[in-house]
């Protein structure tokens, strides 16, 4: 719950491209909603890497362990080698701060569901390697790391969320082909389900889920899945829910042993940076997720309702934020 004697301490990473623009509007909306933040700005991202090869120093991670939350705009700049920022900043943040749940809500007039993606294991754990690189006999392996503990804590979070919503949870995997990792996930899901007798459960193969996302998203309430499948499904979820420009996300440490991180998922869009063309709704909604996790649920709901009322609003980045503020 909120400490009413002081403002929340929030690390802000505007990042690259449109990131600083949309984060600034998100902070303005949070202020208008009546929540006090003390922000600490960090110059990190692709542009910083191109200047001095800094990605995410351990000293910064140590500072972040003492804040209440991290609010990130977008990172990524042309000219930075693939994987440098993704693995060195975003994945390092997830792994070192144990942000083991990625929560992505999708809501329109016709559907309202949430995807819970395991965020620290799977294909993104970094297991693998290359032999004979650059030759005709090159071999590349990329393993998927799945632990009972990692799957269980994510699945348990998903059950708790489903219990607080519409009592329905769907596991998405590929158990008919991925017979080792899929089996671990299915057995863990079945075991945890016994503790949540009121929650109805279902299972979909990931390819079938892609079809249902497009043709029948109303069937879903909460979905839980692994890291790679979750990455793909959540972008598809954004596409069928008004576009990726409206998609918010939370990278959560539900144990609260450190801060959680909140970010829009639309990328840095360098082609429109500085032109006031970026829609700030995703960043504003990510700010609302941050407030909700901090215990400011009333303010978060007000921001969410204001954004829903402004989905069709056209204008500059600041004009759309103005409309959201007006609806508050």
């Amino acid at each position: 719950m909120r400490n009413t004697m002081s403002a929340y301490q929030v690390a802000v990473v505007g990042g690259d491209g449109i990131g600083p623009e949309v984060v600034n509007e998100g902070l303005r909306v949070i202020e208008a909603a009546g929540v006090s933040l003390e922000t600490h700005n960090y110059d990190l991202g692709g542009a910083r890497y191109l200047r001095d090869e800094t990605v995410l120093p351990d000293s910064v991670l140590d500072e972040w362990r003492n804040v209440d939350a991290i609010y990130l705009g977008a990172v990524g700049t042309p000219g930075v080698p693939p994987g440098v920022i993704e693995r060195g900043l975003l994945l390092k943040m997830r792994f070192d701060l144990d942000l083991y749940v990625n929560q992505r809500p999708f809501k329109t007039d016709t559907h309202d569901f949430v995807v819970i993606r395991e965020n620290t294991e799977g294909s993104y754990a970094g297991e693998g390697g290359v032999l004979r690189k650059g030759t005709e006999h090159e071999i590349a392996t990329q393993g998927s790391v799945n632990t009972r503990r990692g799957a269980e804590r994510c699945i348990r979070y998903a059950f708790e969320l489903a219990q607080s919503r519409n009592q329905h949870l769907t596991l998405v995997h590929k158990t008919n082909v991925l017979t080792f990792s899929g089996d671990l996930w299915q057995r863990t899901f079945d075991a945890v389900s016994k503790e949540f007798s009121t929650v109805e459960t279902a299972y979909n193969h990931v390819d079938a889920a892609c079809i249902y996302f497009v043709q029948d998203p109303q069937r879903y309430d909460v979905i839980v899945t692994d890291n790679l499948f979750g990455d793909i499904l959540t972008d598809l979820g954004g596409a069928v829910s008004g576009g990726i420009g409206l998609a918010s996300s939370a990278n959560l440490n539900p144990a609260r042993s450190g801060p959680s991180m909140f970010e829009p998922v639309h990328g840095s869009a360098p082609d429109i940076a500085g032109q006031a063309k970026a829609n700030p709704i995703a960043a504003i909604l990510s700010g609302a997720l941050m407030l909700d996790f901090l215990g400011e649920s009333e303010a978060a709901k007000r921001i969410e309702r204001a954004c829903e009322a402004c989905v069709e609003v056209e204008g500059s980045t600041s004009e759309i934020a103005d409309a959201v503020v007006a609806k508050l």
Side-chain angles (χ1 to χ4, degrees):
M1 297 299 293
R2 181 181 182 186
N3 177 1
T4 56
M5 298 301 293
S6 61
Y8 294 107
Q9 304 296 308
V10 175
V12 177
V13 182
D16 302 308
I18 63 172
E21 301 172 49
V22 296
V23 159
N24 286 340
E25 299 303 336
L27 291 171
R28 184 159 69 91
V29 171
I30 289 172
E31 182 180 8
V35 179
S36 180
L37 306 181
E38 183 173 335
T39 58
H40 308 270
N41 293 298
Y42 289 85
D43 177 18
L44 297 170
R48 174 69 185 274
Y49 174 80
L50 291 176
R51 289 201 309 273
D52 61 15
E53 297 190 345
T54 295
V55 182
L56 178 55
D58 289 339
S59 59
V60 170
L61 276 171
D62 289 340
E63 292 176 17
W64 286 353
R65 297 181 202 281
N66 297 311
V67 302
D68 296 308
I70 303 164
Y71 191 31
L72 186 145
V75 290
T77 300
V80 178
V84 170
I85 299 302
E86 293 84 356
R87 296 207 68 88
L89 196 158
L90 295 175
L91 292 187
K92 182 176 181 180
M93 189 187 308
R94 293 173 189 174
F95 297 157
D96 287 17
L97 298 177
D98 204 19
L99 308 179
Y100 63 85
V101 164
N102 180 262
Q103 181 167 325
R104 294 272 300 274
F106 301 100
K107 187 174 183 180
T108 70
D109 292 338
T110 61
H111 61 260
D112 179 0
F113 65 91
V114 180
V115 176
I116 300 301
R117 163 190 171 190
E118 200 290 317
N119 213 28
T120 59
E121 297 188 346
S123 300
Y124 294 2
E127 191 275 333
V130 177
L131 296 173
R132 308 185 187 102
K133 187 172 184 178
T135 75
E136 62 178 319
H137 302 293
E138 182 171 342
I139 303 169
T141 63
Q142 192 84 54
S144 178
V145 177
N146 299 264
T147 68
R148 172 63 184 247
R149 174 178 178 268
E152 181 171 340
R153 63 183 185 173
C154 181
I155 289 168
R156 187 176 302 280
Y157 179 90
F159 267 105
E160 291 170 351
L161 180 62
Q163 191 174 53
S164 70
R165 285 171 51 94
N166 296 314
Q167 304 280 340
H168 192 278
L169 177 62
T170 303
L171 170 64
V172 172
H173 212 282
K174 190 68 175 172
T175 56
N176 59 338
V177 175
L178 303 179
T179 53
F180 301 127
S181 61
D183 178 60
L184 184 150
W185 273 80
Q186 185 69 70
R187 285 186 291 106
T188 305
F189 184 86
D190 293 343
V192 176
S193 71
K194 295 176 182 178
E195 303 175 30
F196 296 87
S197 59
T198 62
V199 177
E200 183 181 356
T201 62
Y203 171 80
N204 291 159
H205 290 323
V206 65
D207 44 349
C210 289
I211 296 172
Y212 297 144
F213 266 43
V214 175
Q215 295 183 347
D216 185 26
Q218 297 89 346
R219 70 169 54 209
Y220 294 118
D221 179 34
V222 179
I223 295 164
V224 65
T225 189
D226 86 338
N227 209 336
L228 178 59
F229 294 149
D231 194 358
I232 296 167
L233 283 175
T234 50
D235 281 353
L236 180 58
V240 301
S241 303
I244 204 72
L246 303 178
S248 59
S249 77
N251 296 269
L252 303 177
N253 176 337
R256 300 179 189 264
S257 59
S260 295
M261 187 269 278
F262 304 84
E263 61 170 334
V265 296
H266 46 52
S268 60
D271 56 321
I272 61 170
Q275 300 177 40
K277 292 182 178 179
N279 189 331
I281 292 292
I284 294 170
L285 287 172
S286 297
L289 289 174
M290 178 171 68
L291 295 189
D292 186 59
F293 195 72
L294 291 174
E296 298 287 348
S297 299
E298 182 180 352
K301 290 177 182 177
R302 289 172 55 218
I303 292 174
E304 182 181 343
R305 288 194 296 266
C307 287
E308 290 172 2
C310 296
V311 168
E312 303 298 329
V313 171
E314 297 182 357
S316 68
T317 305
S318 61
E319 287 171 342
I320 294 173
D322 287 340
V324 174
V325 170
K327 290 294 183 181
L328 286 174

